Amino acid sequence: MGGDGGRGTRRAPVGRRPRERPVAATEELSGHADVVSAVEIAAGGDRLFTVSSGGTAIVWDVRADGGFGGPYPDLPGRWVAGRPEVVEPGRLVVVPTRPVSRTGGGDPIFLPPADTRTVSATFIDPRDGGVVGDVAVADMPAEPGLVTSVAVSPDRTRVAVTTGLVTTVLDTGTRKKVTRIELPATGEPGRDGRPLPAGVVSCAEWTPDGTRLLLCAWGSPFSGTGDLAVVDAATGEVERRVPVSGRARVSASSPDGRLLAVASEFMPRVTIIDALTLDPVDVVPLSGTDTVEDLAFSPDGRLLAVAGVQGFLQFVDVAEGEQAGDPARFAAPLLQAEWLADGETVVVAALNGTVSLFDVDRGLLRAPPLPASDEVAESHVHLLPGAAEELVAFSWELPGRRYPLEPAAWLAEACAIVARDLTPTEWDRYLPGRPYEPTCSDLR
């Protein structure tokens, strides 16, 4: 699925462009890691062939209705406002959602209009995208920069939903509200200059035993500081405050629950914390100066993916307590990073309406960026976690898309487009010096 080496065109991915507009001179089709050495358009005008100096061939489907994968249902009248979390693997996920605006106004991404501030915990069957439950929890304040998030307890019986000033705990079985939590006000001013009525929370995690919540709380006004508020999940009582480096913005728990990663809003660094003692383990500076938008541990807990709003994808070696490799830069702000089960591939969702598969070891894209919707637009794109057989992308208020992850499916799609092997002349032209091999006929 992209990259150099292998069997030449046997590794050719299927490209796709948005359907609602023709390819313009200013549009870029990104996919090759090397210099593009040859470009041809098929006689019918429905396919574009590109070959790089490294020997990678890409077949771009440029039909108006072309493309790989299939549609995934939208959420009627709502849009996905944050990272989804798994409640029951393969059967139930929960996502923070907000209503689609009927009035417009404001910034649809960073400061949505007034009629879209009510946050719900929406429960979805990932197999068909069907909504099986929806619970309105609280309204987001009309303040820029505040986000909503969900965090599922270790035993998967409860979910905490943060909405800026209020954190609500729900029972995942009955969908009933269990606890409402408001942190003490810090004096942080709102847009009108008046102090906000409660402390701001940007993210949440659970302690390994599931008895307490760790809330990413803002510190004193204009200080850029913050901490983790340790809160009794049953009573809502704040038991202690744990300092972190800078104002905590996003967090993630390791697969074994032993470590917690927290990223600052203003400082390019990640703090690793012992989830049992809440003592700091490492503070890792990042070479890419970016505001961190999402964190994700690899399946084995060895690496931490760090996605930022300036398009940086960076990695932390958790055991060594240092950055691993150089940052990769994407063309749009990144909203989410999700590891595939192979532990070698990270999928990133971007604000330009695309998702990309990144080969961590080689530092290359595995395929051209894929659209998160047939109706491509700048949008909140989020990924369904726990992907095994397919990749599912939510695209704001639009229908999303699902893509198979089996390499044979990608190869079959490429061959369905080309419908033949390369001729010996074409092979010598595009892949000189390599022994000739069938590219599609041996799949039949």
Side-chain angles (χ1 to χ4, degrees):
M1 294 190 292
D4 294 328
R7 296 180 60 190
T9 53
R10 288 294 307 247
R11 297 178 59 82
V14 180
R16 184 184 186 278
R17 67 166 177 84
R19 71 178 184 181
E20 81 281 4
R21 55 186 169 85
V23 175
T26 56
E27 183 172 359
E28 294 184 1
L29 300 177
S30 302
H32 288 291
D34 302 287
V35 174
V36 175
S37 57
V39 178
E40 285 194 12
I41 298 177
D46 59 348
R47 297 188 302 276
L48 176 70
F49 302 87
T50 61
V51 178
S52 76
S53 58
T56 302
I58 297 180
V59 182
W60 302 90
D61 186 337
V62 293
R63 294 171 296 174
D65 61 350
F68 190 36
Y72 194 78
D74 60 347
L75 304 178
R78 306 197 67 80
W79 53 278
V80 176
R83 165 189 268 277
E85 293 287 340
V86 175
V87 178
E88 185 179 353
R91 294 180 176 273
L92 188 65
V93 299
V94 59
V95 297
T97 65
R98 297 169 68 163
V100 174
S101 176
R102 297 180 179 275
T103 62
D107 185 302
I109 302 297
F110 299 107
L111 185 59
D115 63 343
T116 184
R117 292 179 188 150
T118 300
V119 176
S120 292
T122 303
F123 295 85
I124 299 172
D125 185 332
R127 293 167 292 187
D128 59 11
V131 175
V132 298
D134 189 86
V135 182
V137 292
D139 286 355
M140 292 287 292
E143 304 294 334
L146 301 189
V147 295
T148 180
S149 67
V150 294
V152 176
S153 63
D155 63 2
R156 304 188 187 279
T157 63
R158 290 157 297 162
V159 57
V161 187
T162 70
T163 52
L165 301 181
V166 176
T167 301
T168 306
V169 179
L170 303 176
D171 184 299
T172 57
T174 65
R175 316 280 201 262
K176 292 183 178 180
K177 297 178 182 179
V178 177
T179 316
R180 176 186 170 96
I181 302 167
E182 291 188 34
L183 298 183
T186 63
E188 181 76 27
R191 296 175 66 198
D192 58 6
R194 294 183 295 179
L196 296 175
V200 175
V201 172
S202 56
C203 55
E205 299 292 339
W206 292 82
T207 55
D209 62 5
T211 61
R212 291 165 177 78
L213 278 165
L214 307 175
L215 303 181
C216 306
W218 289 15
S220 57
F222 311 113
S223 66
T225 62
D227 55 27
L228 291 179
V230 183
V231 180
D232 186 306
T235 67
E237 180 184 354
V238 179
E239 297 183 348
R240 58 185 286 210
R241 315 288 289 232
V242 179
V244 295
S245 179
R247 177 182 286 177
R249 176 178 172 84
V250 292
S251 58
S253 292
S254 62
D256 60 9
R258 295 189 305 107
L259 296 175
L260 175 69
V262 179
S264 166
E265 182 172 10
F266 301 115
M267 303 177 184
R269 63 182 59 171
V270 174
T271 301
I272 307 295
I273 298 171
D274 186 303
L276 291 173
T277 66
L278 300 183
D279 293 331
V281 176
D282 281 301
V283 177
V284 183
L286 302 172
S287 59
T289 56
D290 200 351
T291 299
V292 177
E293 185 68 21
D294 193 35
L295 300 169
F297 279 92
S298 60
D300 61 6
R302 184 177 61 88
L303 292 174
L304 178 72
V306 184
V309 297
Q310 293 183 33
F312 281 108
L313 177 63
Q314 306 182 77
F315 296 92
V316 170
D317 185 315
V318 177
E320 297 297 326
E322 61 185 19
Q323 185 165 349
D326 296 324
R329 187 73 179 269
F330 288 78
L334 302 182
L335 300 174
Q336 185 180 340
E338 196 70 37
W339 290 82
L340 297 187
D342 62 10
E344 300 174 352
T345 309
V346 169
V347 186
V348 292
L351 192 59
N352 64 356
T354 66
V355 296
S356 299
L357 282 70
F358 186 80
D359 186 316
V360 177
D361 289 336
R362 296 189 300 160
L364 298 172
L365 289 179
R366 287 191 179 273
L370 303 168
S373 175
D374 287 340
E375 304 171 46
V376 176
E378 182 176 279
S379 66
H380 274 281
V381 177
H382 286 93
L383 306 166
L384 197 66
E389 297 179 355
E390 67 174 1
L391 168 65
V392 174
F394 295 102
S395 184
W396 199 23
E397 63 188 64
L398 307 172
R401 285 194 70 80
R402 62 200 315 166
Y403 295 94
L405 291 175
E406 174 58 45
W410 292 70
L411 182 57
E413 177 72 8
C415 287
I417 295 173
V418 179
R420 63 175 177 83
D421 293 333
L422 290 178
T423 66
T425 300
E426 291 170 331
W427 183 279
D428 289 340
R429 178 179 180 182
Y430 296 130
L431 301 168
R434 297 190 184 188
Y436 180 81
E437 297 180 28
T439 50
C440 290
S441 60
D442 58 337
L443 299 179
R444 299 169 187 166

